[in-house]
Amino acid sequence: MPSTVLIGAQWGDEGKGKIIDLLTESVDFVVRMQGGSNAGHTVRVGDDEFILHLIPSGILRGSKTCIIGNGVVVDPQSLFEEIDTLTSKGVRIDGNLLINETVHIIFPYHKLLDVLREELKGSSKIGTTGRGISPTYMDKVGYMGIRAIDLLDEDVFREKLRINLHEKNLFLTRVYDHEPLDFDEIYSQYSAYGERMRPYICNTEIILNRALKEDKKILFEGAQGTLLDVNFGSYPYVTASSTTAGGACTGSGTGPTWIDLVVGVVKAYTTRVGSGPLPTEFPPEADFVDRKRDREYGATTGRSRRCGWFDALVVRHAVRVNGIGAAALTKLDVLDNTPKINICTSYQCDGQAIKEFPNSTAILSRCQPVYEEMDGWMSDTSNVRRYEDLPENARKYVERLSELIGAPIEIVSVGSERSQTIVRRDLLQKRNSPTRGNVAGGSFQQ
Ligand code: IMP
């Protein structure tokens, strides 16, 4: 087997790009299964930095087959911008990138409606990336979507676009007081995109299932994070896709019986972009994260990320709903100069103790964090390569987090370079039986 799903265990931006890149070395296929060009995976290779929005990070390791699965929504303009940027930097893209024929396509009206809906919401806006993600998924579940395969059939595409644009122009003109969009312009632009996409488009579920039967190794590369999941996230401050491990199956056409391990990527503290409650958010006077040095700007929108202490309720929720069997802890080095470190172990809300992450956003917004304080290690960890060489207090921090979240921390990242990584266990080694959540104890409390 092994096929491994890697997902973010917080609000996205956990540093998944680097861990994906690390694990990709030993797999044959890398699969994106949800989201779109709202994602931004940053990978540093030597002096080069790559930011991937849509194409699986495996593309940086030439010999891997990269698949954009059916659960993804594709903006052809971003896709080709990304392909052109990568090829101009010497990355090979020929036959190693495949796009599922049923991916839904993002159109100009989706991007426009995304922005107009946010404006209409005013202070209750979600803070979307403006990439048209939610309107495209709305069309998908509203039986209106246009898929890659439709772009390849002139008559089908013409008819679907006609129906869509009729409805979208009614919205644009009557609800948003906006100019209507022009059919011919979109039709010719997207027909041309379809032709350029043609060589990449195929039935990837057949290819993937054949590969699984041939014992190939597959890495499913999640985008965003658990708390942005449309089912299990801090709704409505979420994204429109299934960012949790289950999305790997529905977004790729791979049955759950093939999934061997779920790896959760966890940042050593908490960040989020966009609106919505963030109980452990630092007050401005206590915010020690240097956005520039610590790279806490959104890779897609350039927005400054909101930062706070590690929230164990959030990650324990993620371990639960994803079945995380191993965690990769990132950005431990950002805490190197922090004398006292807090971990949120429960909340107080309306005089009551809350021990598990609440599904009500109204309750979450009233929650006050209850902290456990630990001594920092006050030394540079960025050159440490073996777990036992970490300062004692850093190891105590890692072990306490592991205990609180209920999953073993098998990888610790101490910098953005590939080499700045402590690997405690080879996660992609052959296993006899699947490894699922809660292996390190840390029972779920109610
Ligand atoms: P959308 O995905 O553009 O619709 O945005 C919905 C929410 O998800 C907003 O709060 C975004 O900031 C957030 N979001 C979307 N993609 C990412 C990501 O890759 N990292 C972090 N937050 C994201």
Side-chain angles (χ1 to χ4, degrees), residues 267-329:
K267 199 181 275 189
Y269 48 100
T270 309
T271 61
R272 87 175 289 183
V273 285
S275 325
L278 182 59
T280 63
E281 188 164 12
F282 295 130
E285 68 282 4
D287 190 340
F288 59 86
V289 179
D290 180 329
R291 301 298 188 276
K292 198 154 177 238
R293 182 199 59 200
D294 302 328
R295 299 165 160 265
E296 291 298 4
Y297 282 102
T300 300
T301 57
R303 287 180 291 182
S304 169
R305 293 178 186 146
R306 299 159 65 195
C307 299
W309 295 115
F310 189 91
D311 187 332
L313 286 77
V314 163
V315 183
R316 195 156 61 228
H317 168 70
V319 168
R320 193 161 46 226
V321 299
N322 290 291
I324 293 173
L329 188 71

Side-chain angles (χ1 to χ4, degrees), residues 117-128 236-237 274-276:
R117 279 174 65 209
E118 282 280 272
E119 274 171 21
L120 192 72
K121 283 184 181 160
S123 60
S124 53
K125 69 177 182 188
I126 304 298
T128 72
Y237 300 101
S275 325

Side-chain angles (χ1 to χ4, degrees), residues 48-52 55-56 59-62 77-97 196 200:
D48 277 329
E49 182 169 278
F50 298 89
I51 300 179
L52 296 141
I55 299 179
I59 206 75
L60 302 177
R61 309 225 185 221
Q77 190 186 340
S78 319
L79 172 74
F80 292 124
E81 274 171 19
E82 206 164 314
I83 290 178
D84 293 342
T85 309
L86 287 168
T87 47
S88 73
K89 288 185 168 184
V91 176
R92 178 178 78 84
I93 306 184
D94 65 23
N96 53 344
L97 176 66
R196 198 174 165 196
Y200 300 95

Side-chain angles (χ1 to χ4, degrees), residues 15-23 25 42-50 60-61 293-295 329-334 381-385 411-423:
K16 292 180 292 298
K18 178 183 157 170
I19 307 298
I20 293 162
D21 179 57
L22 192 81
L23 298 182
E25 198 172 3
T42 308
V43 182
R44 272 186 74 185
V45 185
D47 291 337
D48 277 329
E49 182 169 278
F50 298 89
L60 302 177
R61 309 225 185 221
R293 182 199 59 200
D294 302 328
R295 299 165 160 265
L329 188 71
T330 59
K331 301 191 97 162
L332 186 71
D333 54 300
V334 172
T381 58
S382 64
N383 294 315
V384 177
R385 299 291 176 269
I411 294 176
V412 180
S413 168
V414 289
S416 56
E417 290 288 339
R418 268 181 187 167
S419 61
Q420 290 178 299
T421 315
I422 299 164
V423 179

Side-chain angles (χ1 to χ4, degrees), residues 11-13 38-40 114 126-131 133-134 223-224 228 237-240 272-275 300 303:
W11 273 280
D13 307 320
N38 50 347
D114 192 355
I126 304 298
T128 72
T129 59
R131 302 289 166 112
I133 304 298
S134 157
Q224 290 87 39
L228 291 174
Y237 300 101
V238 294
T239 189
R272 87 175 289 183
V273 285
S275 325
T300 300
R303 287 180 291 182

